[in-house]
Amino acid sequence: MVKYFTTKCDINAAWDHVVSAFWQRYPNPFSTHVLTEDVVYREVTTDHRLLSRRLLTKTNRLPRWAEHFFPAGMSRSVYIVEDSIVDPISRSLTTYTWNLNHTTLMSVEERCVFRDSAEQPGATQLKREAWITSGIYGFSRPIQEFGLARFKSNQVRAMKGLEYALSNLQGETPQRLLRGSVKETSDVAKGAPQSLASTASTTQNPQHYV
Amino acid sequence: HLFGFSVAAMNSVGEACTELKREYDQCFNRWFADKFLKGERGAEPCADSFRLYQRCVQKAIKDKDIPVDGLDFMGPNKDKPDG
């Protein structure tokens, strides 16, 4: 069973600025859990797209109940791979991000697409999707709920971090750059942290892809 | 520092590689905004600093046994349905 979550929001900045800020979003005051960042692959294709793979290391902060699932002495760092394609002709940035280790406890896969907003000239639409699974027998549902709640709060920090990077590039004071809506497929997401972008929120029927 | 911001640099996963990473990132960010996004085509960007940086970081990844080799580009499940 996979827990699926999706949001859409507009970022009040031009696509060129957003994609430039994307590469420069770390470090920022909202991402102190990101320890390292490296490019491990990069290529410009003949059709002028930029392919990149980055490796990130993050701290793995866990609630006490989750410590139970961790053998003593196991690495607490989480390795994250972030693949991306920048297409300056169609003006899209697509990213695919997932964790490399601790995947039995929880696996989070995220796809983001940044493109010109259809509704607001000069703004950028971000569509974000996440798939959360857990392989801990008998506990997968509460762990997925925890994962979804943390994904949402991390998403707020990620957007604040991107705003911060945009402000640095544009020489402005950080400001609210977002408008948007949140959709999720969830049966027990009440009480989860609200996203920065969640001016409108709807709950749909559960959709399970596995 | 432009606009009075002190722009710190991220660490590399290889402690010895952070300075090489910083040099490459600076070169890349300039190329990305000034050339790539403007449609300019040409040689691979920042090839020399990338080579030096990669030599360092790939060794660190091997030493730390980080399982980044052989992964499909754009993820294990790129054909997931849209929401």
Side-chain angles (χ1 to χ4, degrees):
Chain A
M1 193 179 100
V2 175
K3 198 146 195 82
Y4 174 77
F5 175 76
T6 182
T7 67
K8 251 185 205 176
C9 66
D10 275 353
I11 302 167
N12 287 324
W15 182 83
D16 302 59
H17 290 149
V18 172
V19 294
S20 295
F22 174 80
W23 300 118
Q24 300 176 56
R25 68 194 196 277
Y26 300 130
N28 67 67
F30 311 99
S31 71
T32 50
H33 63 300
V34 182
L35 303 175
T36 73
E37 169 206 56
D38 283 286
V39 178
V40 297
Y41 178 80
R42 190 157 260 159
E43 177 194 347
V44 183
T45 64
T46 50
D47 59 350
H48 202 61
R49 295 180 306 157
L50 177 70
L51 315 186
S52 306
R53 169 167 285 170
R54 297 205 297 181
L55 172 70
L56 305 168
T57 313
K58 301 187 180 181
T59 56
N60 189 24
R61 288 166 306 183
L62 289 172
R64 184 161 292 173
W65 58 261
E67 303 273 331
H68 175 73
F69 300 109
F70 269 81
M74 197 171 185
S75 161
R76 293 305 173 88
S77 296
V78 184
Y79 296 119
I80 314 270
V81 169
E82 175 205 89
D83 284 350
S84 60
I85 302 173
V86 185
D87 186 336
I89 296 161
S90 72
R91 294 173 65 82
S92 69
L93 160 62
T94 306
T95 71
Y96 205 93
T97 307
W98 71 102
N99 58 308
L100 281 182
N101 57 343
H102 304 321
T103 50
T104 303
L105 178 66
M106 196 191 308
S107 156
V108 180
E109 294 169 40
E110 181 197 46
R111 180 165 63 198
C112 292
V113 182
F114 299 78
R115 45 173 89 249
D116 287 316
S117 166
E119 284 131 39
Q120 203 189 345
T124 304
Q125 184 194 69
L126 165 58
K127 181 179 182 186
R128 188 185 290 256
E129 294 172 282
W131 294 264
I132 301 170
T133 54
S134 172
I136 302 285
Y137 182 75
F139 290 91
S140 64
R141 180 168 286 235
I143 290 170
Q144 283 174 225
E145 292 303 332
F146 164 73
L148 178 61
R150 189 163 69 172
F151 178 82
K152 287 180 182 175
S153 60
N154 280 349
Q155 173 184 256
V156 173
R157 293 195 291 176
M159 291 315 300
K160 285 183 175 172
L162 191 61
E163 288 179 352
Y164 183 86
L166 274 164
S167 306
N168 274 349
L169 284 179
Q170 297 172 352
E172 290 169 6
T173 318
Q175 55 178 310
R176 284 291 170 91
L177 293 161
L178 297 175
R179 297 187 320 161
S181 66
V182 175
K183 277 182 203 157
E184 64 180 285
T185 57
S186 167
D187 38 8
V188 273
K190 290 193 185 92
Q194 285 293 296
S195 151
L196 181 65
S198 64
T199 49
S201 177
T202 52
T203 301
Q204 302 176 331
N205 292 328
Q207 291 176 15
H208 306 305
Y209 293 108
V210 174
Chain B
H1 300 299
L2 285 175
F3 317 119
F5 281 96
S6 165
V7 181
M10 262 327 260
N11 287 329
S12 167
V13 71
E15 291 80 3
C17 315
T18 297
E19 185 58 28
L20 293 169
K21 165 185 156 50
R22 200 186 59 80
E23 279 171 29
Y24 168 71
D25 281 348
Q26 274 186 357
C27 178
F28 169 81
N29 287 328
R30 210 172 305 130
W31 169 84
F32 185 78
D34 296 346
K35 304 246 165 93
F36 179 75
L37 286 183
K38 292 182 177 157
E40 215 172 283
R41 300 180 186 223
E44 284 291 307
C46 312
D48 290 343
S49 59
F50 190 64
R51 202 176 309 117
L52 289 171
Y53 168 41
Q54 287 305 297
R55 196 178 297 160
C56 186
V57 77
Q58 296 296 344
K59 181 179 183 307
I61 286 169
K62 210 172 163 193
D63 289 350
K64 289 172 194 260
D65 277 330
I66 303 172
V68 76
D69 259 359
L71 300 171
D72 283 347
F73 187 66
M74 294 306 275
N77 284 300
K78 61 182 151 191
D79 297 326
K80 276 184 191 300
D82 280 345

